[in-house]
Amino acid sequence: MTTAPLSTADFAELARTGPAQVGMSALHTGLRGRRLLLLKALLVRVQRERESVDDAAARRFEAAWRLLEQAERAHPAVVRDVLDYPTTGAWLATALAAPVGQALDRRLDRLESIAVTAALRAGCPLDLTVATPTGTLSLTGAGRLHVGAERVRIRARARVVRIGPEGSRASCGALLLSHPRTGRLTGLGPAWTGLRALPGTVALLDDLDPYRVPPGGVGAPPRAATDRAATDAGAWSTRWRGAHQLLERVDPVRACEVRRVVRAVVPLSGGGQPPVPMSATLRAAPGAVLTSLPSSARAMAETLVHEIHHSKLAALHELVPLHRPGPSAVHRVGWRTDPRPIAGVLQGAYAHLALTDLWRRAAVAPRAPESWRSAAGQRFESFHDQVGGALEILLESDELTIAGREFTSQMKRHHASLGAVRRPRG
């Protein structure tokens, strides 16, 4: 079977939850192509519905598009990086779904901040004013500036950026510096709040971006994003560092995959007292893991592995459809109390297959903490059977495509290869 642009071998490796280098590159390329297609679709929509769009909002959108093109000519890799950032996809999905009127007009302004971020990172000389109706300028993947004004002036020269309220004679609200090679922005000034990097990786703890969580939150009951004031950066960094140390001991290849895939971790509210753990990914924002603060490094490691496999499967389905769209039957699976459609069964089976693989390794890894080895062996035995039952549901379904059936068959082969865990006696 051939699933171009994926080879048969890469397709099978992805089905076995493996971090296939070539396969992951193909998924990333496919996601980038889709992101550009959706961006162009939004431009076409604005042009087609121009008479219904607020004139000022349309003009700002068109100017932002030209600025984005200018930045791409100067530094295409930097522009791709900004467009690849997870919240860009979340914004695009929201803007494309917004009804004509104020809802769409408000969302079109986001392209202005995306284009400005790209231009600043690309080192383009600038002297322009942009709208900040909320009094805040958000720079994608960098941070935000509180200006307390409806328009802000941005002046950039020789990779030094000065930003302040339009017409103000006071000192600028922030001074940003753009790295000459990567274009990364670092800032100074009391009005500037930058995103914080998670240790040892390029991933960011994103507790600032206005599009990091959809309107209304995620999950049921819905969880809201926590803002900077409610985010304990030290606790997040400790969990993150500990999770990567555990993964390095148990499965260094998987640890490398997590570092490569995760671009942003979005803190979610705890959901009451005591806090109830919750994590999620958004199909429109691959590369972002939305989660409440995990209780331990082990819980963080398991959350990361679980959620990146939801992202991987969603990205693969965009490239190679695995199941047919439309209404479907619902099925019971071991890890949920509510019945799931076939798409949910496939997503759950894939993420839990990755976890059973991880738990099997942890249960026998001599460098894993004893507490994790014991818990991992128990969880492997429980979920191994549950995943097996879900795979049978999938293979009996007529809702999978040919590619989906082959993918599930490969999952079943890997599931069978995991066998049972032979834990040490005593």
Side-chain angles (χ1 to χ4, degrees):
M1 172 186 172
T2 301
T3 55
L6 287 169
S7 70
T8 301
D10 290 327
F11 186 78
E13 179 67 12
L14 287 171
R16 293 192 293 267
T17 76
Q21 185 80 33
V22 176
M24 292 298 293
S25 296
L27 293 186
H28 185 69
T29 299
L31 285 170
R32 176 172 292 160
R34 178 172 173 77
R35 183 73 50 85
L36 294 175
L37 184 64
L38 292 177
L39 191 60
K40 185 62 180 292
L42 184 59
L43 175 65
V44 170
R45 183 187 179 190
V46 171
Q47 292 172 338
R48 182 177 298 154
E49 301 175 351
R50 186 66 167 79
E51 293 183 359
S52 301
V53 176
D54 176 76
D55 187 59
R59 283 189 281 106
R60 288 195 298 270
F61 181 86
E62 291 159 357
W65 189 277
R66 292 191 295 271
L67 180 59
L68 197 60
E69 291 177 329
Q70 175 189 344
E72 186 176 29
R73 289 192 294 269
H75 204 323
V78 158
V79 175
R80 285 197 298 268
D81 193 57
V82 174
L83 294 180
D84 285 349
Y85 191 70
T87 59
T88 302
W91 161 72
L92 267 172
T94 303
L96 285 166
V100 172
Q102 291 184 352
L104 176 60
D105 296 341
R106 288 196 307 270
R107 286 162 176 80
L108 292 181
D109 282 343
R110 178 65 175 178
L111 185 65
E112 196 168 48
S113 64
I114 291 172
V116 166
T117 305
L120 294 179
R121 289 190 54 189
C124 298
L126 294 178
D127 189 347
L128 76 165
T129 57
V130 299
T132 50
T134 64
T136 301
L137 174 66
S138 174
L139 297 181
T140 305
R144 71 183 179 196
L145 177 71
H146 178 71
V147 292
E150 292 189 355
R151 292 186 67 78
V152 63
R153 184 180 181 188
I154 302 171
R155 290 169 289 169
R157 185 180 298 275
R159 294 193 176 273
V160 177
V161 187
R162 291 175 171 81
I163 307 176
E166 181 185 29
S168 174
R169 295 185 179 180
S171 59
C172 66
L175 178 69
L176 305 184
L177 303 176
S178 172
H179 191 283
R181 183 174 59 84
T182 65
R184 294 291 177 190
L185 296 172
T186 55
L188 302 169
W192 172 254
T193 306
L195 290 178
R196 294 171 291 208
L198 290 164
T201 66
V202 299
L204 299 170
L205 185 65
D206 198 333
D207 50 5
L208 298 175
D209 195 288
Y211 285 91
R212 63 193 185 277
V213 170
V218 293
R223 301 285 185 91
T226 60
D227 207 345
R228 175 58 56 93
T231 304
D232 184 346
W236 282 95
S237 292
T238 298
R239 299 286 195 282
W240 177 266
R241 185 185 293 108
H244 280 275
Q245 290 171 345
L246 288 176
L247 288 174
E248 285 288 355
R249 294 177 190 175
V250 169
D251 192 348
V253 176
R254 189 80 71 193
C256 181
E257 178 185 40
V258 170
R259 287 194 298 271
R260 192 168 63 244
V261 171
V262 179
R263 289 285 306 274
V265 173
V266 176
L268 298 177
S269 60
Q273 291 297 331
V276 179
M278 191 268 182
S279 64
T281 52
L282 301 177
R283 180 177 174 182
V289 174
L290 290 68
T291 180
S292 55
L293 180 64
S295 59
S296 64
R298 184 182 80 196
M300 172 68 95
E302 294 172 354
T303 295
L304 292 172
V305 170
H306 181 97
E307 296 302 340
I308 69 169
H309 281 81
H310 282 314
S311 281
K312 282 169 64 175
L313 188 63
L316 178 63
H317 180 65
E318 295 286 354
L319 198 62
V320 183
L322 302 174
H323 52 82
R324 298 179 180 86
S328 62
V330 292
H331 309 271
R332 295 282 181 181
V333 291
W335 52 83
R336 295 283 295 244
T337 58
D338 55 328
R340 307 294 291 155
I342 208 68
V345 175
L346 181 58
Q347 275 282 354
Y350 188 62
H352 283 91
L353 179 60
L355 281 177
T356 54
D357 185 294
L358 176 67
W359 286 325
R360 186 182 189 283
R361 294 171 190 271
V364 299
R367 297 181 63 203
E370 173 59 33
S371 60
W372 196 19
R373 289 205 302 268
S374 175
Q378 295 171 6
R379 290 178 73 79
F380 173 86
E381 291 174 358
S382 174
F383 279 88
H384 187 262
D385 290 343
Q386 293 180 19
V387 171
L391 291 173
E392 291 301 324
I393 291 171
L394 291 166
L395 290 172
E396 291 173 3
S397 171
D398 60 0
E399 296 177 50
L400 297 181
T401 62
I402 294 175
R405 186 165 296 279
E406 174 62 21
F407 189 82
T408 305
S409 296
Q410 292 288 352
M411 287 173 61
K412 185 175 182 180
R413 292 188 188 101
H414 183 57
H415 175 264
S417 75
L418 295 177
V421 173
R422 296 180 180 178
R423 287 179 284 170
R425 297 176 182 269

